[in-house]
Amino acid sequence: DENRHLFISQYFRDNYDYWMSSLPNVTSGVVINRIEVWVTNKGNSTTDYDNSRNILAFKDLAEPSVIDNPIWTSTGANFPACNEANNLYKNVVSVSGIRDIANASSVLKTAFPTLVGGDDYEKIESARKLSSNEYTLNEKLGFISLRSALSTDQVLAVAIEYTKGGKTYQIGEFSTDASVNAPQVLVLKLLKNVSPTPSKSTWKLMMKNVYSLGAYNMSAEDFQLDIKYKSDTTGVELPYITEGNIKNKMLLSVMNLDNLNTQLQNVPDGFFDYVEGYTVLSSSGRVIFPSVEP
């Protein structure tokens, strides 16, 4: 289900499998308190500063370990994703003239000659802030699901505030931050750039483990999912593979989709683990595998 479900940062992607391993209890310790989601405005330009702002979105912003451009350095492994996790945010916002959208690209090129527009960052004039009914947010795992898929040439960027371990962390800047008034540029976290390709780190932020069933308003009582293997030689569909390291093991178990019973106790029962918001999105008919690379 491409260009619709995205991790908020590499940090959340890197920890996803571990946090999902203890369903139905998610062990992230993360609670996202607020979020703003910004997208390329495909409609008419607007001067409604509550819902439209000029933005600079950086892919390496707030990353403690996955940093593509070597001009940025990590603050240390003890930091989760936040503006202080590396020195990008501090250095960028200290550059004179960075808040002027008309000159932002040339200012960045002068200050950081190795930055590449369209890869390291995206500059968007009059980006549109999505309303809360245009996406859903998983507050514990750090990913968003959009109601409508992004087109290839659209940019998506976010600001979030979350708590973990009793501390509050922020990624990017909010439109309500008193220090940045419209029409000044907001510095945000880039989730999707124009024409993403596998060579860009943002490619990994698009979730590859979400599949659309073409159904809506599903319920656990009326739902069954099987995974079957069709042998090229016999033409028979089986719920297991007859060779290799997973010989005769149920594919639901192989793909970590049968660890619970219908009461969500840790007892495999031969059926798909239907856990709302984690393995299914019932209203939109999506199945989510509990691994970033199923």
Side-chain angles (χ1 to χ4, degrees):
D1 196 24
E2 64 181 340
N3 291 327
R4 193 188 295 265
H5 312 273
L6 300 104
F7 289 107
I8 290 171
S9 79
Q10 303 289 345
Y11 169 79
F12 291 108
R13 182 189 189 276
D14 289 346
N15 286 285
Y16 179 86
D17 286 9
Y18 175 69
W19 291 341
M20 283 285 282
S21 66
S22 58
L23 279 179
N25 300 309
V26 176
T27 59
S28 68
V30 168
V31 178
I32 297 177
N33 305 315
R34 56 177 178 149
I35 184 171
E36 288 184 351
V37 184
W38 298 86
V39 67
T40 306
N41 190 353
K42 303 289 283 187
N44 297 325
S45 61
T46 175
T47 54
D48 179 2
Y49 291 138
D50 288 335
N51 297 299
S52 177
R53 289 291 295 266
N54 299 322
I55 68 171
L56 281 173
F58 295 85
K59 69 177 181 180
D60 287 335
L61 178 69
E63 297 293 352
S65 56
V66 182
I67 303 172
D68 274 7
N69 197 311
I71 67 171
W72 313 124
T73 57
S74 174
T75 306
N78 292 331
F79 273 90
C82 63
N83 289 338
E84 293 75 31
N86 65 54
N87 64 347
L88 185 155
Y89 180 76
K90 179 181 178 181
N91 287 352
V92 166
V93 298
S94 66
V95 174
S96 177
I98 197 65
R99 301 294 184 179
D100 180 4
I101 192 67
N103 299 314
S105 293
S106 59
V107 166
L108 279 173
K109 189 64 177 178
T110 300
F112 312 106
T114 63
L115 282 188
V116 178
D119 184 4
D120 290 303
Y121 72 95
E122 293 279 4
K123 182 190 78 169
I124 305 296
E125 296 188 47
S126 299
R128 183 175 71 88
K129 184 173 71 172
L130 297 184
S131 61
S132 59
N133 62 4
E134 293 182 274
Y135 63 90
T136 58
L137 168 68
N138 189 302
E139 298 175 350
K140 293 183 178 180
L141 293 175
F143 69 83
I144 58 173
S145 295
L146 304 176
R147 301 294 187 194
S148 300
L150 297 167
S151 59
T152 302
D153 61 346
Q154 280 186 296
V155 169
L156 188 79
V158 299
I160 74 165
E161 179 191 272
Y162 69 97
T163 57
K164 180 178 173 63
K167 296 182 180 180
T168 300
Y169 300 95
Q170 183 167 323
I171 299 175
E173 297 173 337
F174 289 91
S175 59
T176 54
D177 289 350
S179 59
V180 190
N181 298 312
Q184 290 180 312
V185 162
L186 290 173
V187 174
L188 301 175
K189 172 67 178 176
L190 178 65
L191 303 192
K192 180 191 171 296
N193 53 318
V194 174
S195 302
T197 65
S199 63
K200 302 180 187 298
S201 65
T202 48
W203 180 261
K204 288 189 173 183
L205 294 180
M206 184 178 75
M207 298 173 71
K208 313 297 192 303
N209 58 331
V210 185
Y211 300 87
S212 173
L213 301 180
Y216 298 93
N217 299 319
M218 303 185 311
S219 66
E221 293 76 17
D222 301 320
F223 185 88
Q224 183 173 340
L225 183 144
D226 292 319
I227 300 175
K228 296 185 177 182
Y229 164 74
K230 185 176 182 179
S231 169
D232 290 337
T233 55
T234 66
V236 176
E237 291 185 351
L238 297 171
Y240 52 85
I241 292 175
T242 57
E243 56 188 289
N245 294 332
I246 57 172
K247 180 179 179 179
N248 298 335
K249 186 175 181 181
M250 297 294 288
L251 291 175
L252 273 179
S253 297
V254 171
M255 298 188 184
N256 210 27
L257 289 170
D258 178 26
N259 297 306
L260 309 172
N261 61 20
T262 54
Q263 286 75 45
L264 300 183
Q265 299 168 328
N266 289 301
V267 181
D269 60 359
F271 294 96
F272 170 78
D273 295 337
Y274 196 106
V275 186
E276 181 61 46
Y278 296 99
T279 64
V280 291
L281 299 174
S282 296
S283 62
S284 59
R286 265 71 184 179
V287 167
I288 307 175
F289 282 61
S291 167
V292 293
E293 296 183 2

